[in-house]
Amino acid sequence: MLPRDFVWGVSTSSYQIEGAAQADGRGPSIWDLYAKVPGHIANGDTGDVACDHYHRYREDIALMHRMGVGAYRFSVAWPRVLPQGRGAPNEAGLAFYDRLIDGLLAAGIEPWLCLYHWDLPQALQEEGGWQNREIAHWYADYATLVAKRYGDRVRRFVTFNEPSVFSLFGYGLAWHPPGMKDAAALHQAIHHINLAHGAGVDAIRTEVPRALVGCIHNVQPSRPLTDSTEDAAAAELLDAYWNRAFPEPQVLGHYPELLAKRIEPYVQAGDLERIQRPVDWFGVNHYSPIFARADAAAPLGFAWADAPANVRRSPIGWQLDPEAFRDVLIEVSRRYGLPVYVTENGAGANEAPDQNGQILDPERVDYLKAYTSALRDAFAAGADVRGYFVWALLDNFEWGAGYANRFGLVYVDYPTQRRIPKESAHWYARLIHSEAMRGVS
Ligand code: IFM
């Protein structure tokens, strides 16, 4: 049985839901520019309006309140509070997160504040972005600003969401901004993100001694596409970039063996101590296993592969394997020795309202049932799992897929911005309610 204080939450991120891209002095982010380039995003979608959460956050808090969630993980848009990435803060942007945090607390929902979910200020990209070592200082200053402002009300701070995704997709595979396929740039970025994490942990602790700080890592088994030895080596390398390049230096104080030599040119004396700062918990995002195949022509020597047709897959083609989730939780808990929170898990689909205007999403309900049951199995096997957040509260801007792939518990009718809780939202509310009622007579 899960502990009584187990946290049941939902997650979102700034660029994916806020919209209001030019409101109240927000500066441009790398995603604003990248999304506008034809061919980058399905259907030419952008995050300009998204779910208009910037104006509708009260309604969104009410939705969470009705669902009964205990915690909400959101991210602060760095360019909304520091339009140039550093220098003068934007009071109107800061005030938005005051309103959001106050609204959450009034509804009895704990805010989990993430500092970085990929929307780097464009002004910093123009100075080299994650390739510039100075960014660790820019990031620490930003972390200080945010911690100082909200630390009286927020205790849970996240330095980064999925650093391996935005680094590999942005610098290795050219699927995200800055759209590069350059091994050296990727290795440089990995190291500077790790330095920023360490500097950010220190900055948050200086401002908020009671803070509980963590970083969120996607952890997913990396599988070879075929039985060939080349594909096996490709999967091992993808595993190093995807599952290890960040948690190992941050928590264990070293880079994975397969990457150490590649990153070495960017490492200065004392850097690993700067990176390995004490954290309070470990965030795991997990959806499915991932696949790799050898590709001698690719800058990294491997290519990302779609899940093969002979495995069970979700409507958007991701492998369904709850046992892999269970094993990941057991392994992460053992390996890193920190309390584990599942900060994202959920299912993508392309559903639409039925003739009664209801959203029936049985595949998502089945997914959530299977994955929460796997989580219980991991806990029973000794994994120190303390919370679970569904991705996502709302349908939202799903990066390269635009609005085509829906992950929300709540459906968003984009033309009207009407929110409709799906069958899965009702299921999640019942689960939370029954957990809360456990042992209450
Ligand atoms: O939407 C993303 C989120 O931004 C990061 N983790 C995976 C989700 C689904 O693809």
Side-chain angles (χ1 to χ4, degrees), residues 2 5 36 48 51 62 105 124 130 160 163 182 184 202 217 220 242 247 256 268 284 303 368 376 406 415 419 432 436:
L2 296 173
D5 59 356
K36 301 238 159 64
D48 281 359
C51 309
L105 292 172
L124 299 185
W130 295 108
F160 285 93
D182 178 331
D202 288 348
H217 306 283
Q220 300 167 257
W242 193 258
Q268 297 182 8
V284 171
L368 295 173
R376 289 176 202 274
R406 294 175 177 269
R419 273 81 164 133
I432 296 171

Side-chain angles (χ1 to χ4, degrees), residues 382-417:
D384 184 9
V385 194
R386 306 214 184 157
Y388 174 87
F389 292 63
V390 175
W391 181 270
L393 168 64
L394 304 167
D395 292 338
N396 59 65
F397 177 80
E398 177 54 16
W399 309 113
Y403 296 100
N405 290 355
R406 294 175 177 269
F407 275 85
L409 293 171
V410 175
Y411 181 87
V412 177
D413 177 49
Y414 293 108
T416 62
Q417 290 294 344

Side-chain angles (χ1 to χ4, degrees), residues 246-417:
F246 295 91
E248 289 197 0
Q250 291 178 12
V251 185
L252 306 178
H254 57 76
Y255 277 106
E257 220 177 296
L258 281 177
L259 300 187
K261 275 266 164 296
R262 300 174 184 218
I263 295 175
E264 200 173 65
Y266 312 104
V267 180
Q268 297 182 8
D271 276 2
L272 283 157
E273 291 73 25
R274 290 185 187 99
I275 292 168
Q276 190 195 12
R277 307 301 296 143
V279 287
D280 301 294
W281 53 275
F282 190 104
V284 171
N285 289 357
H286 179 102
Y287 293 84
S288 65
I290 52 175
F291 289 85
R293 65 178 168 78
D295 181 354
L300 299 171
F302 67 83
W304 186 275
D306 289 338
N310 61 350
V311 300
R312 279 206 318 131
R313 295 189 297 182
S314 76
I316 61 163
W318 294 7
Q319 186 182 5
L320 298 168
D321 188 350
E323 287 171 9
F325 180 47
R326 178 201 61 204
D327 295 347
V328 158
L329 295 177
I330 294 170
E331 167 64 7
V332 159
S333 178
R334 187 195 60 76
R335 194 174 162 70
Y336 298 108
L338 288 163
V340 174
Y341 290 88
V342 176
T343 36
E344 283 185 27
N345 177 242
N350 320 93
E351 64 271 273
D354 66 12
Q355 68 271 34
N356 304 316
Q358 288 183 325
I359 319 289
L360 301 178
D361 56 346
E363 279 162 329
R364 183 171 294 100
V365 173
D366 286 350
Y367 178 98
L368 295 173
K369 278 184 185 162
Y371 276 72
T372 50
S373 158
L375 179 147
R376 289 176 202 274
D377 291 345
F379 183 81
D384 184 9
V385 194
R386 306 214 184 157
Y388 174 87
F389 292 63
V390 175
W391 181 270
L393 168 64
L394 304 167
D395 292 338
N396 59 65
F397 177 80
E398 177 54 16
W399 309 113
Y403 296 100
N405 290 355
R406 294 175 177 269
F407 275 85
L409 293 171
V410 175
Y411 181 87
V412 177
D413 177 49
Y414 293 108
T416 62
Q417 290 294 344

